[in-house]
Amino acid sequence: MDWIYDFIPPPETRRPLTWQSFTTDLLPSFVLYFLTAYLVLTPETRSLRVTLLPVSLWSFFRTATHIDLVHGLKHREGLVYWNQGLLLAMTTAAGRCITWSYQQKPFRRLYRIPGEVRLKDSSTVDRLDRLWDAFDLASNLRGHGWSWSRGLQVPQETRPTHPRSAFLFTTLSNFIKYMLIADHIHWIIQWFGPTTLGAPLGGTIHDFSLPPIHNLFRSTLLSFLCGLLVCASIQTAYEFLTLVGVGIFNQHPLQWPPMFDSPWLATSLTEFWARRWHQIFRDIFISVGSKPLSMLIGRFGSVIGAFLISGILHDFGLWGMGRGAEFSTVGGYFLIQGLGIVLEHTWRHFTGARVSGTMGRVWTLCWVVIWGNLIVDAWCRKGLGASIFHQDRYRPSFLTLGPLPLPSA
């Protein structure tokens, strides 16, 4: 897959975000994305959507490869994950627009707030309602409340949703909690290698001076910690966005259901990836990867297709950091997760029993974390471990654990 990057401009040719680059490179992508979202809610617009699709894809490609969000900023090397986020956003927008463009029937919003059924058909929705629905569609990646997200597993809400002030207070508390957890896990990861894992140039999670078993234990521990960091970081960002949506835009608390469903309780890989892990990219994985490959090679293609698109998405994100991509490890990790699910289906086919229970939990943890060495090592070698989320003087872990230890002379 790495040959694809031969057709992409080198990352060092990207331009800083200025008013000119915003209007010529970034704004068109937002407009085309929202316009496609509006059209997929409007009857008899499929031909227009298909016609618009190449223009949209080109705009997303241009945005992803022409803009450097951290160009000229202080501590630039520690902020390149912003560009990773930009690539993830543009790739997600491309996947969603592909799905939307070939949709036969207009999407229908089932409800605005869970429990309040909306019976209006798409043809009877007035333009103002459709405009607000398009905003929700464009930002609602999981699709709760929409006709296209049937089968979505939404975690049960545990926060008080009434009164609104209680929900906001709990969400704010969660935001602070997850931010502190994420930063302290990040500190521990960097402590393993302040001049490698914690440095902008990056470094491997392996220490080949150790005996092989000790090295594997060390790298797997780092893989596990990085998984926790990813989970806590996503949760931190989601709690913040929830505060904005409910506190500023007056959305209902039930429009922001929990992001994760206790992934550490999963007793199978199928349960982990299909239910307990976040479902942000579920729709594009199914629509762009799972369904096309399932038509070619059946159930195996359905599973592998979803994880193939996941690998491509995350590999593009890594390229966005400006230090090259690595599909063999980043994409390979997700393909191996798909293989693990195929093995679970095979086990059930021959034994009649699902993977579950304590042994299922051990199996899931080992398969996710040990193979995680692949993607975590790639991330750390590209310098992602040195990402700066807080200035040192305001970093919570520096206040509790102190600065990272300097290497001995």
Side-chain angles (χ1 to χ4, degrees), residues 382-398:
K382 301 297 184 181
L384 191 58
S387 297
I388 297 174
F389 302 105
H390 316 271
Q391 292 186 11
D392 286 352
R393 58 180 174 174
Y394 301 122
R395 187 172 178 180
S397 58
F398 276 31

Side-chain angles (χ1 to χ4, degrees), residues 118-136:
R118 183 182 181 193
L119 300 177
K120 286 185 179 180
D121 184 77
S122 299
S123 60
T124 62
V125 175
D126 60 47
R127 291 181 180 179
L128 183 59
D129 275 350
R130 186 173 293 145
L131 185 68
W132 286 114
D133 286 350
F135 276 115
D136 187 86

Side-chain angles (χ1 to χ4, degrees), residues 281-302:
F281 306 119
R282 174 182 181 270
D283 182 52
I284 62 171
F285 292 167
I286 293 176
S287 301
V288 183
S290 182
K291 288 182 178 179
L293 275 186
S294 69
M295 292 187 289
L296 295 176
I297 49 179
R299 188 170 188 176
F300 176 82
S302 176

Side-chain angles (χ1 to χ4, degrees), residues 78-109:
L79 300 174
V80 289
Y81 67 90
W82 292 7
N83 287 329
Q84 182 187 36
L86 178 64
L87 263 291
L88 291 174
M90 291 299 106
T91 306
T92 300
R96 300 194 85 191
C97 282
I98 291 173
T99 302
W100 296 343
S101 295
Y102 293 98
Q103 176 66 22
Q104 295 282 358
K105 295 181 180 180
F107 286 148
R108 187 165 63 91
R109 196 167 184 182

Side-chain angles (χ1 to χ4, degrees), residues 11-303:
E12 57 270 16
T13 63
R14 293 178 292 185
R15 302 180 296 174
L17 182 60
T18 62
W19 178 251
Q20 180 180 0
S21 62
F22 172 79
T23 54
T24 59
D25 295 330
L26 189 59
L27 184 59
S29 291
F30 284 116
V31 172
L32 290 166
Y33 177 65
F34 179 78
L35 178 59
T36 307
Y38 183 85
L39 290 174
V40 78
L41 304 179
T42 307
E44 301 180 0
T45 60
R46 185 170 181 266
S47 58
L48 178 58
R49 282 179 268 133
V50 172
T51 303
L52 192 64
L53 180 60
V55 181
S56 300
L57 295 180
W58 170 249
S59 180
F60 301 144
F61 174 81
R62 182 178 177 86
T63 299
T65 59
H66 281 68
I67 291 182
D68 182 354
L69 294 177
V70 297
H71 185 279
L73 294 183
K74 186 179 180 181
H75 305 303
R76 177 187 186 280
E77 293 300 316
L79 300 174
V80 289
Y81 67 90
W82 292 7
N83 287 329
Q84 182 187 36
L86 178 64
L87 263 291
L88 291 174
M90 291 299 106
T91 306
T92 300
R96 300 194 85 191
C97 282
I98 291 173
T99 302
W100 296 343
S101 295
Y102 293 98
Q103 176 66 22
Q104 295 282 358
K105 295 181 180 180
F107 286 148
R108 187 165 63 91
R109 196 167 184 182
L110 303 178
Y111 55 77
R112 293 183 181 275
I113 300 171
E116 296 184 6
V117 179
R118 183 182 181 193
L119 300 177
K120 286 185 179 180
D121 184 77
S122 299
S123 60
T124 62
V125 175
D126 60 47
R127 291 181 180 179
L128 183 59
D129 275 350
R130 186 173 293 145
L131 185 68
W132 286 114
D133 286 350
F135 276 115
D136 187 86
L137 175 62
S139 58
N140 188 346
L141 298 183
R142 287 185 289 178
H144 41 280
W146 285 91
S147 59
W148 54 268
S149 64
R150 295 186 185 278
L152 173 69
Q153 299 289 331
V154 179
Q156 184 176 358
E157 183 61 81
T158 58
R159 295 165 294 182
T161 57
H162 184 78
R164 184 182 298 264
S165 57
F167 177 84
L168 289 172
F169 178 79
T170 304
T171 302
L172 177 61
S173 300
N174 287 342
F175 167 72
I176 296 172
K177 177 182 68 175
Y178 288 117
M179 179 184 66
L180 293 174
I181 291 173
D183 183 61
H184 282 77
I185 294 174
H186 193 199
W187 187 98
I188 295 171
I189 293 171
Q190 293 178 325
W191 175 85
F192 276 87
T195 60
T196 54
L197 304 179
L201 293 180
T204 180
I205 61 175
H206 297 285
D207 184 350
F208 295 107
S209 66
L210 297 174
I213 296 298
H214 293 176
N215 175 45
L216 178 62
F217 178 81
R218 177 185 188 273
S219 64
T220 302
L221 175 60
L222 284 166
S223 172
F224 176 73
L225 290 172
C226 283
L228 292 180
L229 176 58
V230 169
C231 185
S233 298
I234 293 175
Q235 192 67 55
T236 301
Y238 185 71
E239 298 291 344
F240 175 78
L241 292 174
T242 302
L243 290 172
V244 173
V246 177
I248 297 179
F249 291 100
N250 202 35
Q251 291 180 297
H252 195 281
L254 291 177
Q255 292 179 262
W256 290 86
M259 175 63 68
F260 292 94
D261 188 8
S262 304
W264 47 87
L265 297 181
T267 57
S268 69
L269 289 170
T270 303
E271 181 186 12
F272 180 89
W273 290 111
R275 173 188 164 191
R276 294 192 177 275
W277 194 248
H278 75 75
Q279 303 296 297
I280 297 175
F281 306 119
R282 174 182 181 270
D283 182 52
I284 62 171
F285 292 167
I286 293 176
S287 301
V288 183
S290 182
K291 288 182 178 179
L293 275 186
S294 69
M295 292 187 289
L296 295 176
I297 49 179
R299 188 170 188 176
F300 176 82
S302 176
V303 175

